[in-house]
Amino acid sequence: MDQAFRMEAGRDGSDIAIRWQLEDGYYLYREYLSVTGVGGKPLEMATPPGVIKEDPGYGSTEVYYGTATATVAGPVTGSLNVTYQGCQDGGLCYPPTTVEIDAATLEPKSDTGKSGLQTALQSQAAFPLVSKAPKAADSSSIRISDQSTNGVVGSLLDRGGVLFLIVGFLGLGVLLAFTPCVFPMYPILAATLTREGESLSTGRGFALSSTYVLALAAAFSLFGVVAAWWGQSFQIALQSTTATLLVAAIFVALALSSFGLFELQLPSFLRNRVAAHRGGSLMSSAALGFSSALVIGPCVTAPLAGALLYIAQTGDVVLGATALFALGVGKGIPLILMGTFGSGLLPRAGQWMERVRQVFGFLFVATAVWLVDRLLPAGAGLLLWSVLAITFAVFIGAFDQMRPEAGGAARLAKSAGMLAGLYGVILGIGGLSGATDPLKPLATIAAARSGDATPARVIGKDSFQSIASAADLSSLLKADGPAAPTLVYFTADWCVTCRVIERSVLPDATVADALDGVRLVSVDLSEITEANQSLMKELQVVGPPTMLFLDRDNQEVQDTRLVGEITADTVTVSASSAKGQLR
């Protein structure tokens, strides 16, 4: 920094004149120039007007190129502290720096100001990096891992360049295609294909599914860029209860349409315009694909978080958007395969076609229940699943009288319906008992029956010490000392996924065992403030839910950060690593 911004001081009568010589391509912020005297008292300083720069992090701000000057009104005695901050245009930035100058000799009192300078990428962007420089053993400052600071985008770029990055995100998308967030895409596309009826060929299936996926990827890329620039306000909008209920209502409307209550179609003036063209179905597929990105958008994943960090840190929107587009296409590759090679397996016409549409209707309802389940009190979600399972049993004729001449398919359908009805009853009992896991609906009852067992430790939201700023975290770590590893959990009331974690993951007995002896700290982001946003920047957190695991030296343990859909298994593994049990 002392090479990029060469500072010198001189006298102008009783005043002190400070001058910076800036290297080409570097600039200083005018508003961050300040001088204080003995005891930290602000001194009067005059600076000339700067050049208006549209900064991605600060907005319109005044900066200096080439040279910068400041005049401190005299007389000044003792010493003065000069603070300034600058950046490289489109590249590296430096943290605010203070240099102490002897007012008598106008020489720096020591080299501490310059020797402590450490660079960070794009401090004017949303997420500046913290330094990974070695710290003293007794320091309570957190050092985040190389993986967190470099990010998945930076790591892939370092290994193989842009092409390797795109291929890597494409592969990550394929892996994410089998996660719950992407599941709703399958019935949406399948319902679109069945509407083609007998005219659906392999080529037509490929065209429809590819159009759907490309539109979804384009929207996913666009929403990602908006999220990177708008930050938490966009995340709040996507993860809010209102947005979740809106998307669930869309799936209910799709289900009712599949059941034949009404027909979803374009407005008449648009329908007439595209009626004469075969591209009408392609336009519908594109519209569905674009809107489907709203469903997978709120699901924060590690690759998504990495791409958002990269865009915010570097301002490279093109490369970040390309990575997100590749991620979206990767998520859609199984959809394209299903649409292309599965088209021949779909019924062509008749009563079976209507049955298939109705089955998709149940899948749409199931998706809506899955979305709102996390908003409901414990047990209420299982009651909804119970109603859905019993209704499905009635729908496929579980309780209808079977004719003696019925074939094997009808008997299998009746058996499946009876099993669905039985499962629905069990879910209802589990929901009334307060259970939350559809795969373990009677777990609460089983636990209550074993009354002689020692009550297991249960971790809840109140088990965490709440902090609101970097200063709070530093004070907490200093007060408690480095005796125990630490979990820092970023959560928010508007974060729908956080509710699932706090209701189903944290109370898990294996999680309680894994976190035994771990200091639990939470950061509530329900209201975004300057203090908690600064903490997010320092720890490289995109948004909730995020878990950071620190070892006993307050060093983030490599490969332990959890973002987005968090399970009991992932928490257990990360906590064990932080405790040094998985070295």
Side-chain angles (χ1 to χ4, degrees):
M1 188 171 180
D2 55 345
Q3 294 175 351
F5 313 103
R6 297 187 296 275
M7 189 185 78
E8 57 184 11
R11 291 202 177 276
D12 184 6
S14 62
D15 299 339
I16 296 178
I18 304 172
R19 182 176 181 271
W20 290 266
Q21 182 66 41
L22 282 59
E23 286 292 317
D24 292 340
Y26 289 77
Y27 58 88
L28 282 178
Y29 291 103
R30 182 187 184 191
E31 63 178 304
Y32 291 107
L33 296 180
S34 63
V35 178
T36 59
V38 178
K41 180 182 178 180
L43 300 179
E44 182 181 349
M45 182 181 66
T47 56
V51 177
I52 299 297
K53 177 180 176 61
E54 291 297 327
D55 192 292
Y58 297 143
S60 296
T61 184
E62 286 186 79
V63 300
Y64 298 110
Y65 288 94
T67 60
T69 59
T71 303
V72 181
V76 179
T77 58
S79 63
L80 61 157
N81 294 311
V82 181
T83 300
Y84 59 98
Q85 182 182 11
C87 295
Q88 180 187 23
D89 223 347
L92 295 171
C93 265
Y94 302 86
T97 303
T98 300
V99 177
E100 186 178 7
I101 296 178
D102 189 315
T105 63
L106 299 183
E107 294 291 335
K109 281 197 169 184
S110 68
D111 292 331
T112 55
K114 292 182 180 180
S115 63
L117 299 180
Q118 297 157 358
T119 62
L121 287 175
Q122 284 298 98
S123 67
Q124 77 268 33
F127 304 99
L129 302 184
V130 296
S131 169
K132 301 192 293 291
K135 305 238 176 72
D138 60 348
S139 172
S140 64
S141 299
I142 292 177
R143 290 166 289 172
I144 60 178
S145 69
D146 292 344
Q147 180 194 33
S148 301
T149 55
N150 292 337
V152 64
V153 176
S155 298
L156 292 174
L157 281 175
D158 292 341
R159 293 180 182 180
V162 175
L163 181 61
F164 191 76
L165 167 69
I166 296 174
V167 174
F169 265 74
L170 191 70
L172 291 170
V174 173
L175 296 177
L176 292 173
F178 303 99
T179 58
C181 277
V182 186
F183 164 75
M185 307 301 102
Y186 292 92
I188 292 177
L189 179 60
T192 301
L193 296 174
T194 57
R195 290 193 181 98
E196 291 288 304
E198 295 182 354
S199 63
L200 182 63
S201 62
T202 300
R204 185 65 177 167
F206 174 78
L208 289 172
S209 57
S210 298
T211 301
Y212 176 89
V213 169
L214 290 176
L216 184 148
F220 190 64
S221 176
L222 176 63
F223 293 161
V225 171
V226 173
W229 288 116
W230 285 6
Q232 285 69 42
S233 60
F234 192 76
Q235 285 190 343
I236 292 173
L238 282 184
Q239 295 198 53
S240 66
T241 300
T242 302
T244 303
L245 293 177
L246 177 61
V247 175
I250 292 175
F251 278 104
V252 171
L254 290 171
L256 296 178
S257 175
S258 299
F259 291 136
L261 274 69
F262 58 87
E263 187 71 24
L264 285 176
Q265 54 188 354
L266 293 170
S268 58
F269 72 95
L270 290 177
R271 189 169 63 251
N272 295 335
R273 181 170 299 180
V274 301
H277 301 281
R278 185 63 171 167
S281 296
L282 293 178
M283 291 179 60
S284 299
S285 296
L288 279 174
F290 194 90
S291 58
S292 295
L294 288 172
V295 179
I296 63 176
C299 297
V300 179
T301 60
L304 174 61
L308 298 185
L309 279 172
Y310 182 82
I311 297 172
Q313 289 169 351
T314 66
D316 194 338
V317 177
V318 175
L319 186 58
T322 301
L324 289 173
F325 184 82
L327 189 69
V329 171
K331 290 182 178 184
I333 286 178
L335 295 172
I336 296 176
L337 294 176
M338 182 192 77
T340 303
F341 300 107
S343 59
L345 303 177
L346 294 175
R348 297 301 183 187
Q351 183 63 28
W352 273 105
M353 176 65 73
E354 190 61 27
R355 284 288 189 180
V356 169
R357 288 190 60 181
Q358 292 170 348
V359 168
F360 286 139
F362 277 100
L363 291 176
F364 288 138
V365 174
T367 302
V369 173
W370 173 72
L371 287 169
V372 301
D373 182 13
R374 55 193 71 189
L375 303 177
L376 302 174
L382 284 192
L383 294 178
L384 289 180
W385 288 114
S386 172
V387 172
L388 181 61
I390 295 174
T391 304
F392 180 75
V394 173
F395 168 77
I396 62 175
F399 307 109
D400 296 344
Q401 186 173 3
M402 180 170 288
R403 293 174 297 178
E405 65 274 14
R411 294 181 183 277
L412 287 175
K414 186 175 180 68
S415 298
M418 294 183 69
L419 290 174
L422 176 62
Y423 182 53
V425 172
I426 295 175
L427 287 174
I429 295 173
L432 292 174
S433 66
T436 59
D437 189 351
L439 300 179
K440 301 176 181 178
L442 301 181
T444 305
I445 297 177
R449 289 179 61 86
S450 58
D452 55 342
T454 303
R457 179 195 177 202
V458 176
I459 294 179
K461 202 172 181 180
D462 55 355
S463 303
F464 290 76
Q465 300 181 66
S466 180
I467 62 170
S469 65
D472 291 346
L473 179 58
S474 179
S475 299
L476 178 65
L477 296 179
K478 285 180 179 179
D480 292 349
T486 304
L487 163 61
V488 184
Y489 172 43
F490 288 80
T491 181
D493 291 341
W494 46 262
C495 171
V496 176
T497 308
C498 300
R499 302 185 192 184
V500 179
I501 295 171
E502 292 153 13
R503 190 181 69 186
S504 303
V505 176
L506 293 179
D508 191 280
T510 59
V511 172
D513 291 341
L515 294 179
D516 186 29
V518 177
R519 182 193 294 115
L520 303 179
V521 179
S522 67
V523 183
D524 189 357
L525 302 176
S526 300
E527 293 185 10
I528 301 298
T529 64
E530 185 176 349
N532 59 34
Q533 195 167 33
S534 175
L535 178 60
M536 291 172 66
K537 292 177 181 180
E538 182 176 346
L539 300 184
Q540 292 296 280
V541 172
V542 174
T546 298
M547 290 185 177
L548 276 73
F549 291 85
L550 312 175
D551 61 17
R552 290 173 172 81
D553 297 322
N554 297 332
Q555 166 75 53
E556 183 182 9
V557 183
Q558 190 83 7
D559 300 321
T560 59
R561 180 175 295 211
L562 303 178
V563 180
E565 296 287 346
I566 297 171
T567 65
D569 290 339
T570 57
V571 174
T572 300
V573 171
S574 293
S576 299
S577 296
K579 293 162 70 174
Q581 298 172 1
L582 293 178
R583 294 296 182 185

